[in-house]
């Protein structure tokens, strides 16, 4: 039974390029989200004043993504956060694996 192979050796470099691209995109997303969080939570609130004048979206970002480690002065993340984000994106983009009978019918 010499059917179609599911894995090929020459696709490994392509897989590494895809993985590194996903890591890069995840890191870039967190950088842009960090800048947006800093603007909405820190910079905009300096101009607005007390909590009564803060927009509801700024309050949501402040409560949903708290930065208690640095006393809400900046949005910080580490490499493990980038890795977790890349894994979540990869799981979202995965397709359902074909069954053996679907592979055989092709």
């Amino acid at each position: 039974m010499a059917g179609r192979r599911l894995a090929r050796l020459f696709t490994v470099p392509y897989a590494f390029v895809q993985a590194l691209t996903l890591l890069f995109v995840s890191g870039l997303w967190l950088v842009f989200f960090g800048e947006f969080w800093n603007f909405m939570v820190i910079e905009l609130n300096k101009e607005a004043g007390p909590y009564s004048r803060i927009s509801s979206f700024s309050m949501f970002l402040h409560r949903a993504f708290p930065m208690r480690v640095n006393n809400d002065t900046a949005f910080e993340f580490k490499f493990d956060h980038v890795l977790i984000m890349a894994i979540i994106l990869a799981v979202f983009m995965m397709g359902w694996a074909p069954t053996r009978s679907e592979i055989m019918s092709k």
Side-chain angles (χ1 to χ4, degrees):
M1 183 165 160
R4 196 175 132 205
R5 289 185 158 214
L6 297 179
R8 296 189 180 118
L9 191 58
F10 65 87
T11 59
V12 172
Y14 181 66
F16 278 120
V17 169
Q18 282 182 327
L20 290 175
T21 302
L22 202 53
L23 277 176
F24 178 74
V25 167
S26 299
L28 202 60
W29 163 256
L30 285 174
V31 166
F32 286 135
F33 181 75
E35 291 297 319
F36 180 70
W37 186 91
N38 284 337
F39 174 73
M40 290 298 290
V41 174
I42 306 297
E43 298 299 324
L44 206 58
N45 292 341
K46 286 180 184 175
E47 297 172 7
Y51 281 114
S52 61
R53 300 185 66 201
I54 295 174
S55 71
S56 59
F57 189 66
S58 293
M59 188 61 76
F60 166 75
L61 286 176
H62 182 66
R63 299 284 185 240
F65 305 101
M67 292 290 133
R68 293 186 185 107
V69 175
N70 58 12
N71 203 17
D72 286 331
T73 57
F75 185 86
E76 295 179 355
F77 57 92
K78 300 178 205 161
F79 180 70
D80 57 344
H81 298 120
V82 175
L83 195 59
I84 291 167
M85 182 74 178
I87 290 170
I88 290 171
L89 286 176
V91 168
F92 281 161
M93 290 188 299
M94 273 189 345
W96 190 265
T99 62
R100 184 182 305 239
S101 60
E102 288 176 345
I103 292 173
M104 295 297 274
S105 67
K106 289 183 182 179

